[in-house]
């Protein structure tokens, strides 16, 4: 028994050399998402602009942030769009190399909370609506009598019905081989799923940092010790 315990502890010590890999994978997943999200919020993604306008948020994004009728209806849309764009764009590049990982995770977590509560919250959890209630994660929540789970399962049945009608129409009148070449159709639910997952990944990076051996943060810290 003692031999097994010793072997287990030794294995854990050796595995600790690789404990930076989860942080690296999180960073590699998050970085492109944040970079492109920020890039598309800023004038740098647009056409010809003046020097100072080049660094500001895109007018279309500012309008979406500020308009209460068809947008988010947020106060100070120019400022918030500017901060969101640069937080995501610069923060994404810093995540990619693992520099100031804990620091940049804070504003990025904030943007995920704002996105979840202001854009996606009323759509529920799923980003893509499930089409089979029997395999939907909401089934487990329904077993636990969590509010909203039954409605989610009912929505899956309705989504399945609509997808089948779309496929029937395509089969009869469309070009199924061409249209399905890149994948089958789905219905965007636009829920908080991705925002919540990205928030959890950023929260993990906030506590663990960029990862041992696989981040600039690690080597800077060793240099300064």
């Amino acid at each position: 028994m003692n031999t097994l315990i010793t072997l287990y502890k030794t294995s854990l010590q050796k595995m600790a050399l690789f404990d930076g890999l989860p942080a690296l994978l999180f960073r590699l997943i998050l970085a492109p998402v944040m970079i492109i999200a920020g890039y598309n919020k800023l004038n740098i993604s647009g056409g010809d602009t003046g020097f100072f306008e080049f660094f500001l948020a895109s007018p279309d994004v500012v309008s979406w942030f500020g308009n209460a009728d068809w947008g988010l209806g947020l106060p100070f849309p120019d400022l918030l769009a500017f901060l969101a764009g640069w937080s995501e764009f610069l923060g994404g590049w810093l995540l990619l190399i693992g520099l100031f990982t804990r620091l940049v995770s804070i504003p990025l977590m904030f943007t995920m909370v704002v996105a979840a509560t202001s854009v996606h919250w009323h759509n529920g959890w799923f980003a893509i609506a499930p089409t089979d209630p029997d395999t939907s994660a909401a089934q487990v929540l329904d077993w636990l009598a969590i509010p909203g789970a039954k409605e989610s399962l009912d929505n899956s049945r309705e989504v399945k019905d609509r997808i089948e009608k779309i496929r029937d129409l395509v089969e009869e009148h469309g070009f199924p081989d061409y249209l399905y070449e890149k994948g089958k159709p789905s219905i965007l639910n636009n829920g908080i799923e991705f925002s919540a997952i990205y928030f959890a990944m950023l929260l993990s990076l906030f506590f663990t940092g960029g990862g041992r051996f696989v981040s600039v943060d690690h080597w800077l810290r060793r240099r300064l010790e």
Side-chain angles (χ1 to χ4, degrees), residues 62-191:
V62 172
S63 298
W64 180 60
F65 268 51
N67 193 291
D69 295 327
W70 49 266
L72 303 181
L74 298 174
F76 313 111
D78 296 84
L79 177 62
L80 291 179
F82 172 83
L83 293 175
W86 281 107
S87 294
E88 291 172 339
F89 186 65
L90 290 180
W93 288 111
L94 291 172
L95 283 180
L96 187 63
I97 63 174
L99 179 61
F100 306 134
T101 305
R102 286 186 170 91
L103 182 62
V104 300
S105 294
I106 297 172
L108 293 177
M109 282 192 289
F110 181 76
T111 61
M112 292 302 101
V113 171
V114 172
T117 56
S118 62
V119 180
H120 306 289
W121 189 265
H122 64 282
N123 296 320
W125 170 259
F126 293 107
I128 304 296
T131 58
D132 186 351
D134 292 332
T135 58
S136 170
Q139 188 74 255
V140 178
L141 302 182
D142 188 48
W143 295 340
L144 300 174
I146 302 297
K150 185 178 183 302
E151 289 79 1
S152 179
L153 295 174
D154 291 339
N155 184 65
S156 293
R157 297 182 183 93
E158 294 185 15
V159 167
K160 181 179 181 180
D161 181 62
R162 284 159 173 76
I163 288 291
E164 288 176 349
K165 284 182 170 59
I166 291 172
R167 291 176 178 173
D168 289 342
L169 288 170
V170 171
E171 291 289 340
E172 183 177 356
H173 303 290
F175 305 91
D177 292 339
Y178 169 73
L179 293 175
Y180 296 159
E181 182 181 4
K182 302 299 182 181
K184 296 295 181 67
S186 61
I187 292 180
L188 179 67
N189 199 57
N190 206 26

